[in-house]
Amino acid sequence: MDLKKLAVFLEENGVPAFRLKQVRDAVYKNFAASWEEISVLPSALRERLPRQFRVHTLDTLETQVSKKGNAIKFCFELKGGLKIESVLLNIMPEKWSLCVSTQAGCPVRCPFCATGRKGLKRNLSPEEISDQFLAAAHYLKVTRAQKISGVIFMGMGEPFLNYEAVSAAIKTITDPDLIGLGARHVSVSTAGHVPGIRRFAKDFPQCNLAISLQAVEDALRSDLVPLNRNYPLSQLSRALRDYITTTKRRVFVEYVMLDGVNNSRSTAARLNSWLRAVAAPKYFTVNLIPYNRTGGPYKAPARERIKIFSELLGSLGLEVTVRKSLGEDIAGACGQLAGK
Ligand code: SAH
Ligand code: SF4
């Protein structure tokens, strides 16, 4: 919802200011998704508002629940007809994290990622990002009386190529007068946009940063994450070191495991050395993400190979987790969001 426009409209129409607060609380705190649900408003106003303003800037086209029930994918239609997706992930009992999109498509075009395959359609507005939260929160409230406890900017798009809107959406999500989630429960994942990492360190030192690394040699990384041609590993390394120095925060390293491409023993050793040159191992958590199928030439390594890679990194003193793939049956796992 565009609160600024609503404020102007209410004022121009002589509606007392406390009505704005009522709408704000109903939408951002109680997750009302339509004007009819906001029953504290006088009915005359409630009837007039829908013609001028939509509670959410997105239409929910479809909601799919995975077989195990631990992933719920939303397909939203934006104004103009493009589609985006968000995924609720139930990582711990009663704890839901929402993975939000920041762009329709993605200009970075990593060859293993379904979002990147289509290129960029357009950036999302601040409301289109925060309304994914409101719509998903409404769904959880109505269907299970549960809440969202964390947000990860890890859906479609490269967040730092839409920095202004992402920054405004984080403010809406963390503002105590609006959604009011703690900044520590917000994480942003980047493909390695160096100026974005530097701004983020200044603007949101309490939020978490994840970096999708995939490789620690420029030639391979430029193939896997074409943004590396603009911001090669030497620059990324400095930006991460400065991020850690300023924020004192741990960085989450995402590493999509592609069989025969980036999963050899010697690669694990090189990954370890690269990270150590950035900062001490206690500043990293490495998340190994077995490749999820998106069509194309890649394959996930066998479980045993992933275990060897993970144990090797662990023996070198790094904290390592292997990401469980939630929602693969609804094409809602990492990298599978295509807005189809
Ligand atoms: N553009 C940002 C955030 C969205 S991508 C970024 O790249 O960080 C979200 C995550 O999905 C990234 O960590 C990416 O490496 C991972 N990913 C993309 N395609 C994948 C695939 N096919 N299988 C597993 N993970 C994938
Ligand atoms: Fe874009 Fe991230 Fe997918 Fe790469 S992995 S194409 S940066 S969404």
Side-chain angles (χ1 to χ4, degrees), residues 131-191:
D131 286 355
Q132 295 170 54
F133 186 103
L134 298 179
H138 174 261
Y139 175 90
L140 270 190
K141 180 184 146 182
V142 173
T143 60
R144 328 185 167 207
Q146 289 180 352
K147 289 191 169 173
I148 300 176
S149 46
V151 178
I152 44 185
F153 287 74
M154 215 186 259
M156 300 165 69
E158 165 49 43
F160 292 159
L161 289 173
N162 187 14
Y163 192 95
E164 298 298 335
V166 165
S167 153
I170 296 176
K171 286 177 187 156
T172 300
I173 289 166
T174 54
D175 183 344
D177 287 335
L178 297 171
I179 295 171
L181 209 68
R184 285 188 166 74
H185 302 291
V186 174
S187 307
V188 176
S189 173
T190 178

Side-chain angles (χ1 to χ4, degrees), residues 26-216:
V27 174
Y28 290 87
K29 299 255 178 247
N30 296 314
F31 308 125
S34 65
W35 292 110
E36 298 91 82
E37 289 169 61
I38 313 180
S39 51
V40 293
L41 296 180
S43 54
L45 182 59
R46 241 191 302 156
E47 275 152 32
R48 270 178 71 199
L49 281 168
R51 268 176 276 140
Q52 312 270 349
F53 292 100
R54 309 189 42 202
V55 175
H56 294 165
T57 52
L58 315 159
D59 285 322
T60 308
L61 291 181
E62 199 185 357
T63 310
Q64 279 175 277
V65 183
S66 69
K67 271 196 226 85
K68 290 184 189 145
N70 53 7
I72 304 169
K73 181 168 86 165
F74 299 87
C75 179
F76 298 111
E77 187 174 78
L78 308 174
K79 199 173 162 195
L82 289 170
K83 297 183 182 79
I84 56 157
E85 294 174 334
S86 316
V87 190
L88 272 172
L89 299 165
N90 188 200
I91 293 155
M92 281 183 281
E94 307 265 307
K95 283 226 187 276
W96 291 92
S97 282
L98 181 69
C99 179
V100 296
S101 294
T102 57
Q103 300 182 306
C106 180
V108 178
R109 290 178 170 273
C110 304
F112 51 82
C113 170
T115 305
R117 191 151 312 140
K118 301 164 118 190
L120 177 68
K121 305 289 185 213
R122 75 163 164 86
N123 277 335
L124 302 191
S125 69
E127 291 76 31
E128 286 168 339
I129 300 172
S130 50
D131 286 355
Q132 295 170 54
F133 186 103
L134 298 179
H138 174 261
Y139 175 90
L140 270 190
K141 180 184 146 182
V142 173
T143 60
R144 328 185 167 207
Q146 289 180 352
K147 289 191 169 173
I148 300 176
S149 46
V151 178
I152 44 185
F153 287 74
M154 215 186 259
M156 300 165 69
E158 165 49 43
F160 292 159
L161 289 173
N162 187 14
Y163 192 95
E164 298 298 335
V166 165
S167 153
I170 296 176
K171 286 177 187 156
T172 300
I173 289 166
T174 54
D175 183 344
D177 287 335
L178 297 171
I179 295 171
L181 209 68
R184 285 188 166 74
H185 302 291
V186 174
S187 307
V188 176
S189 173
T190 178
H193 189 269
V194 165
I197 295 171
R198 296 193 177 280
R199 272 180 93 177
F200 186 70
K202 277 207 207 81
D203 295 348
F204 300 103
Q206 313 278 0
C207 294
N208 302 299
L209 177 72
I211 153 90
S212 298
L213 195 56
Q214 331 301 19
V216 292

